[in-house]
Amino acid sequence: MALLSPSRRLRRTPFSDGVEASGVKAYTVYNHMLLPTVFRSIEEDYRHLKNAVQVWDVSVERQVEVRGPDAGRLIQLLTPRDLRGMLPGQCYYMPIVDETGGMLNDPVVVKLSEDRWWISIADSDLLYWVKGLAYGYRLDVLVDEPDVSPLAVQGPRADDLMAAVFGDRVRDIRFFRFMQLEFQGRYLVVARSGYSKQGGFEIYVEGADIGMPLWNALMEAGKDLDVRAGCPNAIERVEGGLLSYGNDMTDDNTPHECGLGKFCTTQTAIGCIGRDALLRVAKEGPVKQIRAISIQGEPVPVCDRYWPLMSKDKVVGRVSSAAWSPDFSTNVAIGMVRMTHWDDGTELLVDTPDGPRTAIVKEKFWI
Amino acid sequence: MALLSPSRRLRRTPFSDGVEASGVKAYTVYNHMLLPTVFRSIEEDYRHLKNAVQVWDVSVERQVEVRGPDAGRLIQLLTPRDLRGMLPGQCYYMPIVDETGGMLNDPVVVKLSEDRWWISIADSDLLYWVKGLAYGYRLDVLVDEPDVSPLAVQGPRADDLMAAVFGDRVRDIRFFRFMQLEFQGRYLVVARSGYSKQGGFEIYVEGADIGMPLWNALMEAGKDLDVRAGCPNAIERVEGGLLSYGNDMTDDNTPHECGLGKFCTTQTAIGCIGRDALLRVAKEGPVKQIRAISIQGEPVPVCDRYWPLMSKDKVVGRVSSAAWSPDFSTNVAIGMVRMTHWDDGTELLVDTPDGPRTAIVKEKFWI
């Protein structure tokens, strides 16, 4: 692995001091900010995430705040998901597309009230798209990036740890719902959500000054639960089929290609951008789609570029994320495969830097 | 320095194979892409840049292509710089601001023809802003990121190296002008520009497939000139006062605060976004501004966060970039200082991680 040169442009977070004290070994950069990727080792972090509880600095999930009388209209403009039924207190996973149906981001949107929303973004400057539209449409909204940094608590003991700090009410939060809970006199949005399949919460920490007090409170309260600093895990997220914008999909892809068609209620999402393009895709279906891919043989190297998926001499897709899974004793991978070859059990070849390997298309991810 | 975890999301470039073969030691991430930062050492790279010639993979300067009948109107909408006098064949440094005058990017714009432009961007997804505006205004333009990756040739021997590959015509290219020159049957935009004060060119390599052939041709032709792989140098760029978006300025800052007032001909840039806000700033002047700062004493550590500039107990500014300069035997730095303390020679204290140091405000950078 190469070294990462520090600079102000790669922003630290309110939790960076805690992350460093916990012995972070590597980072990636996400939304111009540092995102830890390894503490002990990816394998050791993986095992611990599945058995105990971890605190993750996911400040990189920056928020785009939209507030004002036209806020609801602007949010619906952004996404082919029909938001009419959404209530304050709910979070929605929400594909965002351009006029051609190409994905610009795949955030979770948090509805604080009818006229105040947070868009919790993946790795692209969605702020610029939202601001550009708001200005072009002359909408009566304010759009900015507030001082909000999510901290995730993930793992099977997440409820116990969160209850120790926020009280037992956290146990009542349903999936993709949030409550506003008190910490040191401040009310924070606490949602049951997160970028793992192990369960847990995301705390939207409003105000950088309480970042380290909250980090420390969680670490202190979690001593008996074997709490550790952690981060989104490269093995666990592929096993679970959690897509990563920029890795597994880009603005070349429609939500339907990414298996996100169920989040596109385009027919009734009146006024949304990309509607014409996506209605067409929804009608005909995509010609290629995200699939789980099992790559046989020894552990593969890190996937830092597309690996072509071949049938005989023809390229029929590509792998974009891959990792050796200790629990499933195979290389788990995420690929995009043409419809001619996407059926469960189809055998392909994948061109890895270590040479060609057998790759089996799977109907479902490893959960 | 921490390690950087590779992934598909941190895009490789058409020149990555050459960069790796040349022994790159560290990277930063810029526009979701790898940007080399060190080859031998920052000091050794610095000395070589000033004495010989380097080939830089600056693919991270992604292009936003705007083409179509409304292209010129959209480009003028983006910037407070009056573009009426700009001819095809010219490059302009062009601050881009939002409606409050806050900087969103500071690209170089390349006018290919009246209805086709490239915006060569700094580190933010300007594509989203431009696309959002084009959609909101219903302009008759196409906006996308083409397959163009700039390769810079920088250093005192840049003319000789470029002439060896492109012929002697390159010597006639004036500063911030470009010619279209032939390489292996393809015509490439070659501009006299670049992110150093040592002189040189930027080649807008259109088509990833000719990336390595061009890289190799330059390395081969430059053997007698002591050509090496290089990258923007953290010392040289601060000495020369070359600002870095995200380091030295953000969307909190107006161009005037960044010393870029001379690029804002706002009065006559009819229709530009941010006009009202910037006319006000232009009239009254900014209350803080970028300044060269000399930090006394031993070499400072890397500046990975703002360092406060103090006068007695009051914060009067901050340093955002700093490095030890072998040629000037001082720590050179870029700061933003309030008008009460920005006069040449003003003595301040800067809070570095190694403790407070004397900092002298300077009228001019080290060139």
Side-chain angles (χ1 to χ4, degrees):
Chain A
M1 254 195 263
L3 294 168
L4 176 63
S5 287
S7 69
R8 207 315 293 191
R9 188 173 50 76
L10 309 185
R11 297 178 287 178
R12 292 169 61 83
T13 85
F15 317 108
S16 288
D17 290 346
V19 162
E20 286 165 358
S22 302
V24 62
K25 292 213 175 92
Y27 291 100
T28 187
V29 176
Y30 196 103
N31 285 326
H32 315 280
M33 195 173 248
L34 296 172
L35 174 62
T37 52
V38 186
F39 283 87
R40 300 191 183 191
S41 72
I42 293 181
E43 294 71 20
E44 211 175 327
D45 294 350
Y46 161 88
R47 180 61 52 219
H48 179 264
L49 168 63
K50 288 191 170 188
N51 289 330
V53 60
Q54 297 181 346
V55 177
W56 294 2
D57 174 4
V58 284
S59 302
V60 299
E61 294 170 5
R62 305 311 298 161
Q63 307 305 303
V64 175
E65 177 164 315
V66 179
R67 61 187 188 281
D70 287 336
R73 181 177 163 212
L74 176 53
I75 300 281
Q76 184 62 82
L77 192 65
L78 294 173
T79 183
R81 183 165 180 180
D82 185 344
L83 302 176
R84 280 176 304 167
M86 188 176 183
L87 301 170
Q90 283 190 304
C91 313
Y92 271 20
Y93 180 70
M94 178 175 103
I96 292 188
V97 300
D98 66 13
E99 71 283 2
T100 71
M103 290 190 66
L104 298 179
N105 205 289
D106 69 325
V108 170
V109 68
V110 178
K111 184 171 183 174
L112 298 162
S113 63
E114 291 300 332
D115 59 1
R116 185 162 175 245
W117 306 64
W118 284 340
I119 312 172
S120 190
I121 62 173
D123 182 35
S124 71
D125 295 332
L126 192 70
L127 181 66
Y128 282 30
W129 175 244
V130 181
K131 276 171 71 99
L133 290 172
Y135 190 81
Y137 275 82
R138 306 274 163 190
L139 296 179
D140 197 6
V141 288
L142 287 176
V143 181
D144 55 25
E145 181 182 305
D147 178 14
V148 172
S149 298
L151 189 66
V153 175
Q154 300 284 302
R157 299 178 195 158
D159 277 60
D160 292 340
L161 175 54
M162 287 293 284
V165 171
F166 289 96
D168 275 325
R169 285 188 65 205
V170 295
R171 299 184 193 274
D172 301 329
I173 302 176
R174 289 154 58 201
F175 187 63
F176 265 53
R177 299 273 178 152
F178 69 84
M179 284 185 189
Q180 294 193 294
L181 297 176
E182 192 257 342
F183 176 78
Q184 296 192 353
R186 242 128 8 120
Y187 281 82
L188 303 180
V189 168
V190 177
R192 192 179 288 274
S193 57
Y195 196 63
S196 87
K197 291 285 185 180
Q198 307 309 311
F201 300 86
E202 288 175 304
I203 310 162
Y204 291 76
V205 180
E206 201 170 355
D209 60 308
I210 56 163
M212 282 309 300
L214 178 58
W215 175 279
N216 290 330
L218 287 162
M219 289 298 174
E220 184 63 30
K223 276 184 180 162
D224 296 342
L225 300 167
D226 187 26
V227 68
R228 287 188 200 160
C231 50
N233 184 273
I235 308 168
E236 197 268 351
R237 77 118 180 141
V238 175
E239 285 179 354
L242 294 171
L243 305 186
S244 165
Y245 185 75
N247 281 316
D248 308 312
M249 53 198 171
T250 70
D251 60 2
D252 274 341
N253 303 118
T254 64
H256 299 268
E257 289 173 356
C258 305
L260 305 175
K262 60 178 175 286
F263 299 108
C264 299
T265 38
T266 317
Q267 189 66 47
T268 57
I270 309 294
C272 77
I273 294 172
R275 192 161 182 271
D276 300 347
L278 290 186
L279 284 176
R280 175 61 47 191
V281 174
K283 195 170 168 186
E284 299 178 355
V287 299
K288 57 182 190 278
Q289 203 164 36
I290 288 283
R291 281 289 183 271
I293 309 283
S294 171
I295 302 176
Q296 305 196 332
E298 297 295 295
V300 290
V302 171
C303 185
D304 67 352
R305 65 200 87 178
Y306 290 139
W307 294 344
L309 281 165
M310 316 289 295
S311 174
K312 291 166 195 155
D313 290 340
K314 212 170 63 180
V315 177
V316 298
R318 42 83 168 160
V319 161
S320 50
S321 299
W324 174 260
S325 162
D327 281 355
F328 297 96
S329 298
T330 184
N331 292 292
V332 295
I334 298 175
M336 181 83 75
V337 188
R338 290 190 70 80
M339 66 188 303
T340 48
H341 294 79
W342 73 27
D343 287 346
D344 192 35
T346 304
E347 192 175 314
L348 301 172
L349 279 184
V350 58
D351 265 344
T352 79
D354 291 356
R357 294 283 189 85
T358 299
I360 310 292
V361 178
K362 286 172 49 75
E363 183 73 38
K364 293 207 163 130
F365 283 90
W366 290 261
I367 41 166
Chain B
M1 255 194 263
L3 293 167
L4 176 63
S5 287
S7 70
R8 209 312 297 191
R9 187 173 51 77
L10 309 185
R11 297 179 286 178
R12 292 169 62 83
T13 84
F15 316 108
S16 288
D17 290 345
V19 162
E20 286 165 359
S22 302
V24 63
K25 291 213 175 91
Y27 291 100
T28 186
V29 176
Y30 195 102
N31 285 327
H32 316 280
M33 196 172 247
L34 297 172
L35 174 62
T37 52
V38 186
F39 283 86
R40 301 192 181 189
S41 73
I42 293 180
E43 293 72 21
E44 210 175 329
D45 294 350
Y46 161 88
R47 181 60 52 218
H48 179 265
L49 169 62
K50 289 191 170 188
N51 288 331
V53 60
Q54 297 182 346
V55 177
W56 294 1
D57 175 3
V58 285
S59 301
V60 300
E61 295 170 5
R62 305 310 299 160
Q63 306 305 304
V64 175
E65 177 164 316
V66 180
R67 61 188 187 280
D70 287 337
R73 184 179 160 208
L74 176 52
I75 299 282
Q76 183 62 80
L77 193 65
L78 294 173
T79 183
R81 182 165 181 180
D82 185 343
L83 301 177
R84 281 177 301 167
M86 188 176 182
L87 300 171
Q90 284 189 304
C91 313
Y92 271 20
Y93 180 70
M94 176 175 105
I96 292 187
V97 300
D98 67 13
E99 72 282 4
T100 71
M103 287 190 68
L104 298 179
N105 203 288
D106 69 324
V108 169
V109 68
V110 178
K111 184 170 182 176
L112 298 162
S113 63
E114 290 300 331
D115 58 2
R116 186 162 175 243
W117 307 64
W118 284 341
I119 311 173
S120 190
I121 62 174
D123 182 36
S124 72
D125 295 332
L126 192 71
L127 180 67
Y128 282 30
W129 175 244
V130 182
K131 275 171 72 99
L133 290 172
Y135 191 81
Y137 275 80
R138 307 273 164 190
L139 296 179
D140 196 7
V141 287
L142 287 176
V143 181
D144 55 24
E145 181 182 305
D147 178 13
V148 172
S149 298
L151 188 66
V153 174
Q154 300 283 300
R157 298 179 196 156
D159 277 59
D160 292 340
L161 175 54
M162 288 293 284
V165 172
F166 288 96
D168 276 325
R169 284 188 66 204
V170 296
R171 299 184 193 274
D172 300 330
I173 301 175
R174 288 153 58 200
F175 188 62
F176 265 53
R177 299 274 178 149
F178 69 83
M179 284 185 190
Q180 293 193 294
L181 297 177
E182 191 256 341
F183 177 77
Q184 295 192 352
R186 245 136 357 126
Y187 281 82
L188 304 178
V189 168
V190 177
R192 191 179 289 274
S193 57
Y195 195 62
S196 86
K197 290 285 187 181
Q198 307 310 311
F201 300 86
E202 288 175 304
I203 310 161
Y204 290 76
V205 181
E206 200 169 356
D209 59 309
I210 54 162
M212 281 310 299
L214 178 58
W215 175 279
N216 290 331
L218 286 163
M219 288 300 175
E220 184 62 32
K223 275 183 179 163
D224 295 342
L225 299 167
D226 186 27
V227 69
R228 288 188 199 161
C231 50
N233 184 273
I235 308 167
E236 197 268 352
R237 78 119 180 139
V238 175
E239 286 178 354
L242 293 172
L243 304 186
S244 164
Y245 186 75
N247 281 316
D248 307 311
M249 55 198 170
T250 71
D251 59 2
D252 275 342
N253 303 117
T254 64
H256 300 269
E257 288 174 356
C258 305
L260 305 175
K262 60 178 175 285
F263 300 107
C264 299
T265 38
T266 318
Q267 188 66 45
T268 57
I270 309 296
C272 76
I273 294 172
R275 191 161 184 272
D276 299 349
L278 290 187
L279 284 177
R280 175 62 48 192
V281 174
K283 194 171 168 185
E284 299 178 355
V287 299
K288 57 182 190 281
Q289 204 165 36
I290 289 283
R291 282 287 183 271
I293 309 283
S294 170
I295 302 177
Q296 304 195 334
E298 296 296 294
V300 290
V302 171
C303 185
D304 67 353
R305 64 202 86 178
Y306 290 139
W307 294 345
L309 281 165
M310 316 289 295
S311 174
K312 291 165 194 155
D313 290 340
K314 211 170 64 180
V315 177
V316 297
R318 42 82 169 162
V319 160
S320 49
S321 299
W324 173 260
S325 162
D327 281 354
F328 297 97
S329 299
T330 183
N331 293 291
V332 294
I334 298 174
M336 181 84 74
V337 189
R338 291 189 69 79
M339 66 188 303
T340 48
H341 294 78
W342 73 27
D343 288 344
D344 192 37
T346 304
E347 191 175 315
L348 301 171
L349 278 184
V350 58
D351 264 344
T352 80
D354 291 357
R357 295 282 189 88
T358 300
I360 309 293
V361 178
K362 286 171 49 75
E363 183 73 38
K364 293 207 163 129
F365 284 90
W366 290 263
I367 42 168

